[in-house]
Amino acid sequence: MAAADPSAEDIEAGRRLFAAPWEFVGAAGSYTSLPPMRGTEIAFAGRSNVGKSSLINALTGRKALARISRTPGRTQELIFFSAGGGEFTMVDMPGYGYAAVGKEKVAAWTELIHAYLLGRANLARVYVLVDARHGLKDTDMPTLDALGRAAVSHQVVLTKADALKPTEQDARLAAVEAALAKRPAAYPQVLATSSRNTSGIPQLRAAVAKLLAERSMR
Ligand code: GDP
């Protein structure tokens, strides 16, 4: 990885941030049902099955949070969790790219996501999860395009990095970073994580803590 590893202080700040008690704030299936903006928000997006629930579990150490997102009927909604009395909100965005989903649902999803991205002034960054074994897929492009059009800062996070050998992982990181170079709203550095062996999890927590600290200084 080209970028400097986070300092021990940053790692500790990330640990503390995610160790705070989390609460379920609400779920929104339409723009009008979004909870009011409060504190700083980050969101997680990715193809269905990318490992989003596992990553949210690994970050927070709270299995119940991702279970909330899996409740039938909730899979097409944005799910809001907050910590620190509402100062920090984490949003689980509905998984995309699931082949069995009809055109109508895709259109409704796209509309909701666009409205959310354009209207959310407190949204600091969207983490776009990509399966390390597969890299970027065509189905990731509409999301990356929407993020770019809305000029929402976003960063790609590889999941399931344990499934690759270190040399394969480096090659995947380089390929994804090269593909993102043409996208100005995309953060140039890609992080590799594994919920299975927790590699990269403390670093992702540290990156989020740093982002929040930078936002609060503005
Ligand atoms: P979601 O649909 O994006 O929420 O994905 P899940 O978290 O439910 O994970 C989808 C599948 O990927 C499950 O079979 C998980 O066991 C598997 N998975 C999730 N995280 C990892 C990981 O870090 N490493 C590996 N090897 N598999 C994972």
Side-chain angles (χ1 to χ4, degrees):
M1 247 193 304
D5 282 335
S7 66
E9 246 169 66
D10 292 344
I11 294 278
E12 174 55 17
R15 189 197 63 74
R16 258 188 282 119
L17 178 70
F18 281 89
W22 285 93
E23 2 178 309
F24 170 59
V25 177
S30 67
Y31 185 64
T32 49
S33 53
L34 289 171
M37 290 186 241
R38 239 187 114 194
T40 306
E41 207 156 277
I42 60 158
F44 291 95
R47 285 159 53 87
S48 304
N49 224 36
V50 73
K52 188 154 49 68
S53 308
S54 304
L55 187 74
I56 290 172
N57 280 346
L59 286 169
T60 60
R62 293 272 311 271
K63 284 210 170 74
L65 291 185
R67 221 175 292 135
I68 291 171
S69 309
R70 297 199 152 244
T71 314
R74 286 260 149 90
T75 52
Q76 298 295 312
E77 295 180 328
L78 293 153
I79 319 279
F80 293 76
F81 303 105
S82 76
E87 239 164 73
F88 174 37
T89 302
M90 185 169 66
V91 184
D92 185 358
M93 294 174 74
Y96 53 79
Y98 184 55
V101 173
K103 266 201 184 131
E104 236 170 75
K105 275 205 166 156
V106 172
W109 185 94
T110 309
E111 200 181 308
L112 171 64
I113 298 311
H114 281 211
Y116 168 70
L117 293 179
L118 287 171
R120 211 69 182 169
N122 63 332
L123 178 61
R125 185 165 293 167
V126 174
Y127 292 90
V128 180
L129 311 186
V130 169
D131 192 320
R133 298 171 304 179
H134 310 310
L136 285 168
K137 293 274 203 179
D138 288 348
T139 43
D140 293 313
M141 297 310 155
T143 299
L144 292 173
D145 291 344
L147 287 161
R149 263 200 309 274
V152 170
S153 163
H154 53 285
Q155 183 167 16
V156 169
V157 172
L158 299 182
T159 58
K160 313 186 192 181
D162 58 279
L164 297 186
K165 295 192 193 97
T167 49
E168 293 172 332
Q169 218 184 94
D170 289 346
R172 180 69 73 211
L173 280 171
V176 174
E177 284 176 357
L180 293 172
K182 291 177 240 118
R183 296 175 174 269
Y187 194 81
Q189 191 204 359
V190 173
L191 294 172
T193 64
S194 163
S195 305
R196 196 158 283 182
N197 69 14
T198 74
S199 69
I201 299 295
Q203 288 79 2
L204 177 54
R205 288 192 194 117
V208 173
K210 200 158 190 181
L211 174 72
L212 297 193
E214 282 164 8
R215 285 279 289 204
S216 66
M217 280 187 294
R218 284 207 310 209

